[in-house]
């Protein structure tokens, strides 16, 4: 009995890793000079429950938001997105011209070709650390 209790407490003390969430093709377009960078990736839900992404954080930026680019009559605007839900077995792409992570207030210059850890946060309290490849302004 005591062993079970200890195991349970230990489990709660560790941050829960997102089960069934997988990320591919994670990269960010870095623009020098303090301009926000845009992060892109494909999120797949390999579990049998829906998966809701509610945010991301990165130690190298002051703030990370989820955004969606919208085009109306040739004018592009960005709107904050608070939640992206992926159904079981489905994938969802953050890609140029659509959904992206907006990484604001870089704390130091980044090196194209380097890697940057970003943690994705989900509605159930779990998280997923992801390595993003830093690409230059010209990357598409
Ligand atoms: Cu944006």
């Amino acid at each position: 009995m005591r062993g079970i209790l200890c195991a349970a407490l230990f489990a709660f003390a560790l941050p829960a890793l997102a089960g069934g969430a997988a990320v591919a093709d994670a990269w960010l377009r870095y623009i020098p000079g303090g301009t926000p960078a845009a992060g892109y990736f494909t999120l797949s839900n390999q579990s049998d429950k829906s998966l809701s992404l509610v945010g991301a954080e990165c130690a190298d930026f002051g703030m990370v938001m989820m955004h969606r680019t919208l085009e109306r009559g040739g004018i592009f605007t960005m709107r904050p997105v608070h939640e992206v839900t992926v159904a079981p077995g489905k994938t969802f792409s953050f890609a140029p011209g659509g959904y992206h992570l907006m990484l604001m207030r870089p704390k130091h210059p980044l090196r194209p070709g380097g890697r940057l850890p970003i943690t994705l946060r989900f509605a159930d309290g779990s998280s997923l650390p992801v390595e993003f490849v830093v690409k230059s302004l010209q990357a598409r």
Side-chain angles (χ1 to χ4, degrees):
M1 186 62 202
R2 176 173 285 175
I4 292 168
L5 189 62
C6 285
L9 289 173
F10 187 60
F12 280 116
L14 288 169
L17 284 177
V23 164
D25 302 324
W27 63 282
L28 65 90
R29 184 187 288 137
Y30 174 64
I31 305 168
T35 308
Y40 305 106
F41 57 96
T42 298
L43 176 64
S44 61
N45 180 3
Q46 297 165 357
S47 76
D48 54 7
K49 290 177 285 189
S50 72
L51 179 71
S52 289
L53 179 66
V54 294
E57 50 197 60
C58 178
D60 301 273
F61 286 84
M63 188 175 175
V64 183
M65 293 179 76
M66 295 194 292
H67 275 178
R68 183 183 183 185
T69 300
L70 296 170
E71 190 256 306
R72 278 204 197 93
I75 296 166
F76 291 88
T77 56
M78 294 193 295
R79 296 281 160 78
V81 174
H82 300 291
E83 189 163 0
V84 168
T85 300
V86 186
K90 300 290 185 191
T91 63
F92 188 94
S93 286
F94 282 64
Y99 287 78
H100 54 277
L101 293 181
M102 196 95 258
L103 300 121
M104 285 163 282
R105 303 201 298 269
K107 293 177 180 173
H108 51 82
L110 300 179
R111 184 174 49 86
R115 289 173 184 274
L116 190 75
I118 296 177
T119 300
L120 303 181
R121 303 237 171 258
F122 298 93
D124 63 359
S126 65
S127 61
L128 183 69
V130 178
E131 285 229 310
F132 281 65
V133 176
V134 180
K135 296 190 181 180
S136 65
L137 178 57
Q138 291 78 24
R140 289 286 176 266

